Amino acid sequence: MIPEIGQFALALALAVALVQSVLPLMGTARNNVIWMRSATATSVLLTVLVAIAFGALMWSFVVSDFTVVNVASNSHSLKPMLFKVAATWGSHEGSLLLWVLILVIFGLGVSLLAQNIPLKLKARTLAVQAWISAGFLSFMLFTSNPFDRVFPAPLDGQDLNPLLQDVGLAMHPPFLYLGYVGFSIVFSFAVAALIEGRVDPAWARWVRPWTLAAWVFLTLGIVLGSWWAYYELGWGGWWFWDPVENVSFMPWLAGTALFHSAIVTEKRDSFKSWTILLAVLTFSLSLLGTFVVRSGLLTSVHAFSVDPERGIYILALLAIAIGGSLTLFAVRAPQMEGGGLFAPISREAGLLINNLLLATATATVLFGTLYPLLLEAVTGEKISVGPPYYNVSFVPIMLVLVLVMGIGPLLSWKRADLRGVLDRLKWVAGLSLLAALAVWYLDTGGPALAVLSIGLAAWLLGAVLTEWAGRIRLGEVPLAESMRRARNLPRAHYGMVVAHAGLAVCMIGFVGSSAWKSEVVVFAEPGTELEIAGFDVRFEGVEDLRGPNYLSRMGTLTVTRNGSYVTTLRPERRAYPVAGSSTTESAIRTTLAGDLYASIQEPASEDEQGRWTLRILYEPLVVWIWIGSGLLALGGVLSLSDRRLRVGAPRKRTRPAPAPVVAE
């Protein structure tokens, strides 16, 4: 009965989405206030219906209702409750339902929170959001129904892919979708503005918080996925330029450019066309990611579907959304030119360079992702585009971007004194050079690009601190006055400082774990000893353990350094009998200096010695990636908490002073 309720709720949701996609637009055309305001009521109803459907599917997983095909294919009665719940979005159908739930929640957020947005713009925005919702609801109902039944029901389920039975990956899809789908509301704002034919600083002010919120969620989603790959897959890598990784990274790059472009539109009434175009392209890249992982183009642990018919449906949605919005942009864009003029040396110019570099970087990743797929579709030839391509094409673009990021925040609006800015940064440049030379001295065999990257990371970090110190006039006025100025700085400024510093910290982790990583792979038996990065590692043997729904073979490694005990590592190899597959559970000792990483594979042979394949890595500075990523997200949250960015926030009202009492 519960699945039927969910099915009925989805059907009603589609009907409500169709009404919301038409009635508010008709209201704006006829200036009918009631029809325009109906978008708020339908947003609430739509969210309630989709939430009921999602709750019905989750309940089916919690109670192990194996009459539902989705539950029977992706769950098992012995699976821990956390992963039963996470299995709700662990399949193609369930993840699509989560996507739609987040989609309607963002629409609800605009309808309830954005009280100071003009009624017509709000009505058009919610109508466009309903178009997207209707498209995905119809896709789900016609091709990917999460509530399909199976009779007779199997006695037990086939279990979720063991690689997905992990806390990190259980959290990864919700955050990723909050980012992907969060950009949908920005897309809806952009299309609504194109329909209206007007973009102004007020519009940019309404868009910025939603853009920033989506960017923060997408940052966290990507980081969680990278962290999961690092500790779960057993090869010690956190990024492989896999096509499915890339399709989440491209909206992040475009969204970063979008947020900075919206700042210029708000502050200087410029970059209107840029901001609209980036809003369209950012969500279009999110839709492209949906197509890639659900169309059958890829076979991957990340990919949900291998059904080409579903891919054709998504491709049609993609063509309508992207083609329609870009056509509308081509018609309306000439009307949006204008705004404040600026000199070639100014903050506007710096942000323009920022946008161009991010757009170029996005195009580079897009080409590297789609070219092998297109080549295979046309010629049947299979090729792979991996790290060598991106190291040559993508990395240099980002290094130039980091160089510009150090200068941009110190430039003033409209016209800036470049010589004065560079004079303020001369000490930063000197310290960055010293940092690069120190790295070169410590490891003269290190790649030149790695040394340059460390120097630029130091440059960015020093430039950020210099800009902040200049704001509070540190060293120019008494310390108490500087602290007062620091307290009065807006949170958005602190968000910028923390986020830019976070990127610098990330760069240190990227370079250290890639350029100076050590690795040893051996066939080991009890008593085998090896040395790596100054650590002595002894393989003690393997013991058998039993988990809730898996069998584990856990190795024990004793680690010493200069004869002193350091730690004990216990990597595992888990076998899942129901799913018929196994996973690697790495053991990691983490310090700020680097990670000592161990994984174990099945015995190399069935001989009496019981030898195992043992992989030991030392990854310098890799933890700085997670620290820096956390700072990036924290910077976004700080900016989002700035009262000036909270659309619809109540304003403080000052009471009129009481009339003076006149003595008689």
Side-chain angles (χ1 to χ4, degrees):
M1 183 63 183
I2 297 296
E4 279 69 33
I5 293 175
Q7 173 78 29
F8 186 59
L10 281 183
L12 284 180
L14 176 58
V16 173
L18 291 173
V19 171
Q20 184 180 325
S21 66
V22 175
L23 191 59
L25 287 181
M26 294 176 60
T28 59
R30 301 185 180 187
N31 205 29
N32 188 315
V33 175
I34 295 177
W35 288 5
M36 286 188 282
R37 288 181 175 171
S38 70
T40 298
T42 51
S43 295
V44 174
L45 181 57
L46 184 58
T47 305
V48 169
L49 290 170
V50 176
I52 289 173
F54 188 79
L57 183 61
M58 182 177 289
W59 178 258
S60 300
F61 274 96
V62 168
V63 301
S64 296
D65 184 355
F66 297 122
T67 64
V68 178
V69 174
N70 196 11
V71 178
S73 301
N74 297 282
S75 190
H76 190 271
S77 59
L78 295 179
K79 188 161 58 176
M81 181 57 67
L82 171 64
F83 300 128
K84 286 185 178 181
V85 173
T88 308
W89 54 80
S91 65
H92 163 69
E93 294 82 3
S95 65
L96 193 61
L97 183 53
L98 176 62
W99 174 287
V100 176
L101 177 62
I102 295 173
L103 190 68
V104 298
I105 287 175
F106 270 95
L108 179 66
V110 169
S111 66
L112 297 181
L113 300 178
Q115 298 298 328
N116 59 348
I117 294 179
L119 183 58
K120 286 190 175 182
L121 177 62
K122 185 176 180 179
R124 290 188 177 105
T125 300
L126 292 175
V128 175
Q129 191 78 353
W131 294 350
I132 304 170
S133 301
F136 278 94
L137 282 166
S138 63
F139 172 62
M140 186 160 39
L141 286 168
F142 298 146
T143 72
S144 310
N145 192 342
F147 298 105
D148 280 342
R149 294 279 201 170
V150 57
F151 294 104
L155 295 177
D156 216 329
Q158 299 176 18
D159 208 358
L160 182 68
N161 184 338
L163 285 174
L164 307 182
Q165 296 185 38
D166 179 85
V167 175
L169 206 64
M171 299 165 58
H172 166 65
F175 280 104
L176 200 65
Y177 292 171
L178 283 165
Y180 274 161
V181 183
F183 286 121
S184 69
I185 201 67
V186 184
F187 171 85
S188 298
F189 267 112
V191 173
L194 289 172
I195 294 173
E196 189 171 321
R198 185 169 65 92
V199 177
D200 55 21
W203 176 88
R205 191 180 186 85
W206 297 321
V207 165
R208 274 181 67 193
W210 302 100
T211 305
L212 188 56
W215 183 87
V216 170
F217 284 126
L218 187 57
T219 300
L220 292 172
I222 292 173
V223 171
L224 283 170
S226 180
W227 178 54
W228 167 81
Y230 173 66
Y231 71 78
E232 178 69 22
L233 297 184
W235 57 286
W238 42 267
W239 193 263
F240 195 63
W241 295 106
D242 179 273
V244 182
E245 294 173 337
N246 293 350
V247 296
S248 66
F249 187 43
M250 288 186 289
W252 187 89
L253 290 169
T256 304
L258 169 60
F259 176 70
H260 288 88
S261 184
I263 293 175
V264 183
T265 303
E266 179 188 346
K267 301 289 186 183
R268 299 286 300 146
D269 197 23
S270 299
F271 291 14
K272 298 177 184 178
S273 297
W274 252 113
T275 305
I276 290 289
L277 181 60
L278 286 169
V280 170
L281 293 180
T282 300
F283 184 59
S284 297
L285 289 169
S286 297
L287 292 178
L288 177 65
T290 303
F291 170 70
V292 168
V293 301
R294 300 177 191 273
S295 62
L297 288 177
L298 297 175
T299 302
S300 165
V301 67
H302 302 86
F304 288 109
S305 176
V306 292
D307 186 352
E309 293 183 2
R310 293 173 176 174
I312 293 173
Y313 199 109
I314 299 179
L315 191 60
L317 292 177
L318 200 66
I320 294 171
I322 299 177
S325 57
L326 288 179
T327 301
L328 186 59
F329 174 79
V331 173
R332 296 289 197 181
Q335 305 173 18
M336 295 184 296
E337 296 303 325
L341 299 176
F342 55 89
I345 305 300
S346 63
R347 183 172 294 192
E348 293 96 325
L351 288 169
L352 178 60
I353 296 173
N354 168 85
N355 281 357
L356 291 172
L357 290 170
L358 284 170
T360 304
T362 305
T364 301
V365 178
L366 181 65
F367 177 79
T369 303
L370 294 186
Y371 176 71
L373 301 177
L374 294 175
L375 183 66
E376 182 179 355
V378 174
T379 67
E381 180 183 356
K382 291 186 178 183
I383 65 169
S384 62
V385 175
Y389 163 78
Y390 294 101
N391 289 341
V392 171
S393 59
F394 177 81
V395 172
I397 296 172
M398 298 307 291
L399 292 182
V400 175
L401 177 65
V402 170
L403 180 64
V404 174
M405 285 175 63
I407 301 174
L410 282 84
L411 300 173
S412 56
W413 294 105
K414 195 173 181 178
R415 182 183 298 275
D417 177 15
L418 182 60
R419 179 176 296 178
V421 169
L422 294 179
D423 185 63
R424 292 176 61 187
L425 291 174
K426 60 184 179 182
W427 294 108
V428 175
L431 292 174
S432 303
L433 180 60
L434 287 177
L437 291 175
V439 171
W440 183 263
Y441 174 78
L442 292 172
D443 189 349
T444 55
L449 191 61
V451 174
L452 175 62
S453 299
I454 293 294
L456 284 173
W459 157 265
L460 178 57
L461 188 59
V464 166
L465 295 177
T466 298
E467 192 275 341
W468 174 77
R471 286 275 187 138
I472 66 173
R473 301 185 65 186
L474 188 64
E476 302 176 21
V477 297
L479 183 59
E481 173 64 13
S482 293
M483 292 300 99
R484 186 192 67 80
R485 288 173 172 269
R487 288 193 298 270
N488 292 334
L489 282 178
R491 292 183 187 175
H493 181 264
Y494 276 111
M496 181 273 291
V497 169
V498 172
H500 284 197
L503 180 59
V505 174
C506 280
M507 285 181 62
I508 295 172
F510 295 155
V511 174
S513 61
S514 300
W516 298 297
K517 177 167 65 176
S518 304
E519 181 176 5
V520 176
V521 180
V522 297
F523 294 130
E525 56 187 1
T528 298
E529 296 182 354
L530 58 93
E531 189 274 337
I532 182 171
F535 294 97
D536 298 306
V537 182
R538 176 183 172 86
F539 180 52
E540 305 292 353
V542 173
E543 60 179 316
D544 295 331
L545 302 173
R546 179 179 291 273
N549 60 334
Y550 61 84
L551 301 174
S552 170
R553 307 196 73 181
M554 177 186 291
T556 300
L557 304 170
T558 301
V559 181
T560 59
R561 189 166 196 169
N562 299 325
S564 300
Y565 172 81
V566 175
T567 188
T568 299
L569 300 176
R570 291 187 170 87
E572 294 181 63
R573 187 69 178 173
R574 293 180 179 177
Y576 292 78
V578 175
S581 59
S582 57
T583 64
T584 297
E585 301 295 322
S586 303
I588 306 172
R589 174 186 180 263
T590 298
T591 66
L592 286 176
D595 281 8
L596 188 61
Y597 181 107
S599 64
I600 193 170
Q601 300 291 334
E602 295 293 336
S605 64
E606 295 297 332
D607 58 19
E608 296 179 355
Q609 296 181 357
R611 301 169 70 197
W612 291 75
T613 303
L614 189 63
R615 182 190 298 268
I616 309 293
L617 301 97
Y618 183 71
E619 305 217 27
L621 307 175
V622 68
V623 72
W624 290 50
I625 297 176
W626 324 127
I627 296 173
S629 300
L631 291 174
L632 277 171
L634 177 61
V637 172
L638 284 173
S639 294
L640 197 58
S641 69
D642 193 315
R643 183 178 180 80
R644 300 174 302 167
L645 290 185
R646 280 182 274 152
V647 175
R651 298 179 180 178
K652 293 183 179 180
R653 296 181 178 179
T654 57
R655 295 182 179 180
V661 178
V662 179
E664 297 182 1

PDB file of all heavy atoms in Angstrom, residues 170-184:
ATOM      1  N   ALA A 170      27.507   7.468   1.285  1.00  0.00           N
ATOM      2  CA  ALA A 170      26.098   7.674   1.618  1.00  0.00           C
ATOM      3  C   ALA A 170      25.772   9.168   1.663  1.00  0.00           C
ATOM      4  O   ALA A 170      24.669   9.596   1.299  1.00  0.00           O
ATOM      5  CB  ALA A 170      25.780   7.024   2.961  1.00  0.00           C
ATOM      6  N   MET A 171      26.746   9.988   2.107  1.00  0.00           N
ATOM      7  CA  MET A 171      26.539  11.436   2.186  1.00  0.00           C
ATOM      8  C   MET A 171      26.849  12.144   0.877  1.00  0.00           C
ATOM      9  O   MET A 171      26.378  13.267   0.641  1.00  0.00           O
ATOM     10  CB  MET A 171      27.432  12.009   3.297  1.00  0.00           C
ATOM     11  CG  MET A 171      27.142  11.456   4.678  1.00  0.00           C
ATOM     12  SD  MET A 171      28.484  11.832   5.846  1.00  0.00           S
ATOM     13  CE  MET A 171      28.515  13.620   5.756  1.00  0.00           C
ATOM     14  N   HIS A 172      27.635  11.519   0.028  1.00  0.00           N
ATOM     15  CA  HIS A 172      28.102  12.159  -1.200  1.00  0.00           C
ATOM     16  C   HIS A 172      26.969  12.552  -2.149  1.00  0.00           C
ATOM     17  O   HIS A 172      26.900  13.725  -2.569  1.00  0.00           O
ATOM     18  CB  HIS A 172      29.109  11.213  -1.877  1.00  0.00           C
ATOM     19  CG  HIS A 172      29.438  11.536  -3.289  1.00  0.00           C
ATOM     20  ND1 HIS A 172      30.083  12.695  -3.657  1.00  0.00           N
ATOM     21  CD2 HIS A 172      29.236  10.844  -4.446  1.00  0.00           C
ATOM     22  CE1 HIS A 172      30.262  12.698  -4.971  1.00  0.00           C
ATOM     23  NE2 HIS A 172      29.740  11.600  -5.465  1.00  0.00           N
ATOM     24  N   PRO A 173      26.027  11.665  -2.521  1.00  0.00           N
ATOM     25  CA  PRO A 173      24.989  12.062  -3.476  1.00  0.00           C
ATOM     26  C   PRO A 173      24.095  13.204  -3.004  1.00  0.00           C
ATOM     27  O   PRO A 173      23.827  14.132  -3.784  1.00  0.00           O
ATOM     28  CB  PRO A 173      24.195  10.763  -3.698  1.00  0.00           C
ATOM     29  CG  PRO A 173      25.139   9.677  -3.340  1.00  0.00           C
ATOM     30  CD  PRO A 173      25.962  10.222  -2.226  1.00  0.00           C
ATOM     31  N   PRO A 174      23.606  13.205  -1.741  1.00  0.00           N
ATOM     32  CA  PRO A 174      22.754  14.338  -1.349  1.00  0.00           C
ATOM     33  C   PRO A 174      23.442  15.694  -1.490  1.00  0.00           C
ATOM     34  O   PRO A 174      22.846  16.654  -1.996  1.00  0.00           O
ATOM     35  CB  PRO A 174      22.417  14.027   0.113  1.00  0.00           C
ATOM     36  CG  PRO A 174      22.514  12.544   0.227  1.00  0.00           C
ATOM     37  CD  PRO A 174      23.639  12.176  -0.675  1.00  0.00           C
ATOM     38  N   PHE A 175      24.698  15.780  -1.046  1.00  0.00           N
ATOM     39  CA  PHE A 175      25.401  17.056  -1.170  1.00  0.00           C
ATOM     40  C   PHE A 175      25.650  17.403  -2.637  1.00  0.00           C
ATOM     41  O   PHE A 175      25.523  18.567  -3.044  1.00  0.00           O
ATOM     42  CB  PHE A 175      26.725  17.014  -0.404  1.00  0.00           C
ATOM     43  CG  PHE A 175      26.582  17.235   1.069  1.00  0.00           C
ATOM     44  CD1 PHE A 175      26.672  16.187   1.963  1.00  0.00           C
ATOM     45  CD2 PHE A 175      26.342  18.508   1.569  1.00  0.00           C
ATOM     46  CE1 PHE A 175      26.528  16.388   3.324  1.00  0.00           C
ATOM     47  CE2 PHE A 175      26.198  18.727   2.928  1.00  0.00           C
ATOM     48  CZ  PHE A 175      26.294  17.663   3.815  1.00  0.00           C
ATOM     49  N   LEU A 176      26.016  16.396  -3.430  1.00  0.00           N
ATOM     50  CA  LEU A 176      26.273  16.643  -4.839  1.00  0.00           C
ATOM     51  C   LEU A 176      25.015  17.141  -5.533  1.00  0.00           C
ATOM     52  O   LEU A 176      25.058  18.097  -6.324  1.00  0.00           O
ATOM     53  CB  LEU A 176      26.776  15.357  -5.505  1.00  0.00           C
ATOM     54  CG  LEU A 176      27.532  15.509  -6.820  1.00  0.00           C
ATOM     55  CD1 LEU A 176      28.840  16.257  -6.610  1.00  0.00           C
ATOM     56  CD2 LEU A 176      27.800  14.142  -7.428  1.00  0.00           C
ATOM     57  N   TYR A 177      23.882  16.527  -5.234  1.00  0.00           N
ATOM     58  CA  TYR A 177      22.632  16.934  -5.868  1.00  0.00           C
ATOM     59  C   TYR A 177      22.172  18.305  -5.378  1.00  0.00           C
ATOM     60  O   TYR A 177      21.577  19.081  -6.144  1.00  0.00           O
ATOM     61  CB  TYR A 177      21.531  15.904  -5.604  1.00  0.00           C
ATOM     62  CG  TYR A 177      21.761  14.574  -6.281  1.00  0.00           C
ATOM     63  CD1 TYR A 177      20.963  13.477  -6.010  1.00  0.00           C
ATOM     64  CD2 TYR A 177      22.790  14.412  -7.206  1.00  0.00           C
ATOM     65  CE1 TYR A 177      21.175  12.253  -6.626  1.00  0.00           C
ATOM     66  CE2 TYR A 177      23.013  13.197  -7.819  1.00  0.00           C
ATOM     67  CZ  TYR A 177      22.211  12.118  -7.521  1.00  0.00           C
ATOM     68  OH  TYR A 177      22.430  10.916  -8.135  1.00  0.00           O
ATOM     69  N   LEU A 178      22.425  18.605  -4.104  1.00  0.00           N
ATOM     70  CA  LEU A 178      22.111  19.943  -3.616  1.00  0.00           C
ATOM     71  C   LEU A 178      22.882  20.999  -4.414  1.00  0.00           C
ATOM     72  O   LEU A 178      22.391  22.115  -4.634  1.00  0.00           O
ATOM     73  CB  LEU A 178      22.438  20.063  -2.131  1.00  0.00           C
ATOM     74  CG  LEU A 178      21.429  19.419  -1.170  1.00  0.00           C
ATOM     75  CD1 LEU A 178      22.033  19.288   0.223  1.00  0.00           C
ATOM     76  CD2 LEU A 178      20.147  20.232  -1.113  1.00  0.00           C
ATOM     77  N   GLY A 179      24.102  20.644  -4.855  1.00  0.00           N
ATOM     78  CA  GLY A 179      24.857  21.557  -5.705  1.00  0.00           C
ATOM     79  C   GLY A 179      24.349  21.576  -7.120  1.00  0.00           C
ATOM     80  O   GLY A 179      24.043  22.636  -7.687  1.00  0.00           O
ATOM     81  N   TYR A 180      24.253  20.395  -7.732  1.00  0.00           N
ATOM     82  CA  TYR A 180      23.735  20.289  -9.096  1.00  0.00           C
ATOM     83  C   TYR A 180      22.395  21.015  -9.230  1.00  0.00           C
ATOM     84  O   TYR A 180      22.197  21.879 -10.084  1.00  0.00           O
ATOM     85  CB  TYR A 180      23.482  18.818  -9.443  1.00  0.00           C
ATOM     86  CG  TYR A 180      24.661  18.058  -9.986  1.00  0.00           C
ATOM     87  CD1 TYR A 180      24.660  16.668  -9.946  1.00  0.00           C
ATOM     88  CD2 TYR A 180      25.755  18.685 -10.558  1.00  0.00           C
ATOM     89  CE1 TYR A 180      25.709  15.920 -10.444  1.00  0.00           C
ATOM     90  CE2 TYR A 180      26.807  17.959 -11.058  1.00  0.00           C
ATOM     91  CZ  TYR A 180      26.794  16.575 -11.003  1.00  0.00           C
ATOM     92  OH  TYR A 180      27.833  15.848 -11.501  1.00  0.00           O
ATOM     93  N   VAL A 181      21.452  20.599  -8.393  1.00  0.00           N
ATOM     94  CA  VAL A 181      20.084  21.077  -8.517  1.00  0.00           C
ATOM     95  C   VAL A 181      19.959  22.503  -7.998  1.00  0.00           C
ATOM     96  O   VAL A 181      19.097  23.256  -8.443  1.00  0.00           O
ATOM     97  CB  VAL A 181      19.122  20.133  -7.775  1.00  0.00           C
ATOM     98  CG1 VAL A 181      17.687  20.558  -7.949  1.00  0.00           C
ATOM     99  CG2 VAL A 181      19.295  18.704  -8.276  1.00  0.00           C
ATOM    100  N   GLY A 182      20.831  22.877  -7.056  1.00  0.00           N
ATOM    101  CA  GLY A 182      20.793  24.248  -6.582  1.00  0.00           C
ATOM    102  C   GLY A 182      20.998  25.251  -7.697  1.00  0.00           C
ATOM    103  O   GLY A 182      20.404  26.340  -7.701  1.00  0.00           O
ATOM    104  N   PHE A 183      21.815  24.894  -8.679  1.00  0.00           N
ATOM    105  CA  PHE A 183      22.023  25.797  -9.803  1.00  0.00           C
ATOM    106  C   PHE A 183      20.790  25.893 -10.688  1.00  0.00           C
ATOM    107  O   PHE A 183      20.705  26.786 -11.534  1.00  0.00           O
ATOM    108  CB  PHE A 183      23.230  25.348 -10.627  1.00  0.00           C
ATOM    109  CG  PHE A 183      24.553  25.635  -9.968  1.00  0.00           C
ATOM    110  CD1 PHE A 183      25.447  24.608  -9.685  1.00  0.00           C
ATOM    111  CD2 PHE A 183      24.909  26.925  -9.614  1.00  0.00           C
ATOM    112  CE1 PHE A 183      26.669  24.863  -9.075  1.00  0.00           C
ATOM    113  CE2 PHE A 183      26.128  27.190  -8.996  1.00  0.00           C
ATOM    114  CZ  PHE A 183      27.004  26.160  -8.729  1.00  0.00           C
ATOM    115  N   SER A 184      19.829  24.976 -10.509  1.00  0.00           N
ATOM    116  CA  SER A 184      18.603  25.054 -11.305  1.00  0.00           C
ATOM    117  C   SER A 184      17.823  26.319 -10.989  1.00  0.00           C
ATOM    118  O   SER A 184      17.223  26.929 -11.892  1.00  0.00           O
ATOM    119  CB  SER A 184      17.721  23.820 -11.042  1.00  0.00           C
ATOM    120  OG  SER A 184      17.185  23.844  -9.728  1.00  0.00           O
TER     121      SER A 184
END
